[in-house]
Amino acid sequence: MTKKIFIIAGEVSGDILGADLMQSIIKEDKDVVFFGVGGKEMQKIKGFHSLFNIKDIAVMGIFEVLKNLKIIKARIREVVNKIIEVNPDLVITIDSPGFNMRVIKKVRKTLPNIKALHYVAPQVWAWKEKRAQRVAKLYDYLLCFFDFEVPYFTKYGLRTFAVGHTAIKNVVGNKARFIKKYKLKATDKIITMLPGSRVQIAKRLLPVYRQIVEKLSLKLKNLKVVIPATSTSYDFLMEEVKSWKIKPLIIKTKSDRYDAFVASEAVLSISGTAVLEIAITGTPVIVAYKLSNLSYMIAKHLVKIKNVSLPNIIMEREIVPEFIQNECNVENLSKEIIKAVNNKKYRENVIKNLENMKKKITQKKAPSDIGAEVVLDILNDYL
């Protein structure tokens, strides 16, 4: 009997998660058919056609949302009407809570008993814990990355399953390939720096990074600095580094990015998923983050966790040094990078801690396969 799933991914990261999940579901049950919204990865799945281009809803930031509000509302109506028309056995929404939760809320007015699952839990453990209750009211099931996230939602009666983080499978780098491609030397001391993909934040960190590079050049022989860029930040970064005394290498592809992590002596990174990716490679990583003074004051009152980076949250202690706001300065960050490169005992201890973290979150099955098991159990009414 054919089973119908309506699946929605509103941005690139969700598109990748969605494609993996769809592939794993089809592998176990060929009778599942998909409808919905997705990007180029999901559209590679045979039989799936996206209602529209996800760039219409892949919008971040208050001003960007307001600017595109008319089309976003139109897309919400379009998705809601299509779900009602298809009347699927299950609706799966992936990340993009601003869009997806509005869709589910409207759908339930017409189809109150429809089964709905959300993939990627909001980070309620960091701030706005009340969002967990809101998610529980709208959805029947939730897939999250980590075991520690589960209790935040199950206490509200939401059936929640930890499937693991995709970075474990996806983050694979090759040092030799990177050195050969960019004509580097085995003796080069490679330091990778991530200022973030958002230009607004990068503008705040790059002046600090520039001074760090100048300071490191006096302390580390054969220094080579690498800065990974995204499609949205590449042009900005290329323009910014023109005036640097020591020109960094700007790289763009995901494979180059992972290769750079593995090839580096240490990585300086903005807080975010990238920190977990770097930690998985076993390369010492230092976290740097700087907000506007107003944003920082607001965040201090909202954020309820001691550490901001996932490796530290997973291990429940600081295994990755974090330098936030005023501590995010040239002196502190330079000192930490030099220590990670030159202090053998310290470096070995950091790498050991990162290996232990990786072991803690590594599992036999891929996250998409675990997620597929949950989905198929729902379709077969086992859950």
Side-chain angles (χ1 to χ4, degrees):
M1 182 179 173
T2 301
K3 304 175 186 77
K4 297 181 290 185
I5 293 177
F6 199 100
I7 185 166
I8 310 164
E11 52 193 84
V12 175
S13 58
D15 177 44
I16 295 168
L17 287 174
D20 286 347
L21 181 61
M22 292 163 75
Q23 195 66 57
S24 291
I25 292 169
I26 292 169
K27 185 171 65 178
E28 297 299 323
D29 192 336
K30 299 289 190 295
D31 290 328
V32 175
V33 294
F34 294 97
F35 305 82
V37 179
K40 64 179 183 179
E41 295 302 321
M42 287 169 63
Q43 290 181 80
K44 291 176 184 177
I45 305 299
K46 187 178 179 181
F48 179 80
H49 303 283
S50 182
L51 271 178
F52 49 80
N53 194 317
I54 63 170
K55 71 177 183 181
D56 289 350
I57 58 174
V59 179
M60 298 181 70
I62 295 171
F63 294 111
E64 288 80 4
V65 169
L66 290 174
K67 181 181 172 184
N68 294 277
L69 193 56
K70 188 175 180 179
I71 192 167
I72 291 171
K73 284 184 175 180
R75 291 311 192 191
I76 289 173
R77 286 194 299 270
E78 187 176 350
V79 173
V80 170
N81 290 339
K82 192 65 178 178
I83 292 173
I84 293 169
E85 178 192 325
V86 171
N87 192 16
D89 298 290
L90 177 67
V91 177
I92 299 174
T93 61
I94 304 175
D95 218 345
S96 304
F99 183 89
N100 283 324
M101 291 178 76
R102 284 173 174 80
V103 167
I104 296 300
K105 189 175 181 180
K106 288 181 180 294
V107 167
R108 287 212 182 274
K109 289 178 181 178
T110 304
L111 301 172
N113 296 319
I114 196 165
K115 292 178 180 178
L117 175 149
H118 188 65
Y119 188 6
V120 185
Q123 293 182 341
V124 297
W125 39 269
W127 68 311
K128 290 187 179 180
E129 189 175 338
K130 286 185 178 179
R131 285 182 300 170
Q133 192 170 9
R134 187 179 168 213
V135 173
K137 283 181 179 179
L138 284 175
Y139 289 93
D140 305 290
Y141 311 94
L142 176 68
L143 302 182
C144 58
F145 288 143
F146 303 108
D147 289 331
F148 74 82
E149 296 177 288
V150 174
Y152 287 95
F153 299 92
T154 52
K155 73 178 182 180
Y156 295 112
L158 181 59
R159 281 165 284 190
T160 306
F161 306 86
V163 299
H165 202 288
T166 55
I168 290 292
K169 180 190 77 169
N170 295 337
V171 179
V172 179
N174 186 309
K175 179 177 181 178
R177 178 172 61 194
F178 189 76
I179 289 173
K180 183 180 180 181
K181 180 174 180 177
Y182 291 103
K183 297 180 174 60
L184 301 173
K185 299 173 184 175
T187 54
D188 285 337
K189 296 287 186 184
I190 301 170
I191 304 294
T192 296
M193 298 181 165
L194 285 81
S197 58
R198 297 184 190 178
V199 171
Q200 187 179 359
I201 295 176
K203 280 182 178 178
R204 216 171 275 130
L205 284 175
L206 281 174
V208 179
Y209 284 11
R210 177 179 183 168
Q211 292 179 65
I212 291 170
V213 171
E214 291 176 8
K215 192 159 189 171
L216 291 179
S217 68
L218 303 174
K219 302 281 186 178
L220 300 175
K221 290 182 179 179
N222 304 316
L223 175 68
K224 298 293 179 184
V225 177
V226 177
I227 299 182
T230 63
S231 57
T232 57
S233 67
Y234 182 79
D235 291 339
F236 164 75
L237 288 172
M238 290 297 289
E239 187 63 32
E240 280 290 306
V241 302
K242 280 181 181 179
S243 60
W244 288 29
K245 289 181 182 177
I246 298 162
K247 299 291 189 296
L249 169 64
I250 308 294
I251 58 174
K252 199 173 181 180
T253 68
K254 184 173 282 189
S255 59
D256 276 356
R257 176 189 176 98
Y258 294 157
D259 287 351
F261 292 166
V262 175
S264 296
E265 297 291 318
V267 181
L268 178 60
S269 176
I270 187 172
S271 178
T273 304
V275 178
L276 180 65
E277 292 178 336
I278 299 157
I280 286 168
T281 69
T283 299
V285 53
I286 298 100
V287 177
Y289 203 70
K290 190 172 263 194
L291 299 165
S292 68
N293 289 331
L294 178 60
S295 296
Y296 179 68
M297 290 302 294
I298 294 170
K300 272 186 72 175
H301 292 289
L302 293 176
V303 176
K304 58 186 181 180
I305 51 176
K306 182 180 177 182
N307 296 114
V308 299
S309 57
L310 278 170
N312 293 339
I313 293 166
I314 291 165
M315 296 302 287
E316 299 180 71
R317 62 189 179 91
E318 188 168 287
I319 64 168
V320 169
E322 299 175 350
F323 296 93
I324 313 298
Q325 210 60 10
N326 293 333
E327 291 185 356
C328 179
N329 57 54
V330 177
E331 187 62 35
N332 286 343
L333 296 173
S334 300
K335 185 178 178 181
E336 196 66 36
I337 292 170
I338 292 167
K339 184 165 69 169
V341 175
N342 289 338
N343 188 322
K344 186 179 177 182
K345 188 175 180 181
Y346 173 78
R347 182 179 180 82
E348 287 174 350
N349 186 56
V350 169
I351 292 171
K352 183 181 178 181
N353 286 333
L354 296 179
E355 286 173 354
N356 289 335
M357 183 221 69
K358 185 177 179 179
K359 286 178 185 176
K360 187 173 182 178
I361 61 175
T362 297
Q363 51 201 21
K364 291 180 180 179
K365 290 184 179 180
S368 60
D369 289 342
I370 298 172
E373 289 177 1
V374 174
V375 169
L376 292 172
D377 279 348
I378 293 168
L379 293 176
N380 293 319
D381 291 323
Y382 296 143
L383 288 174

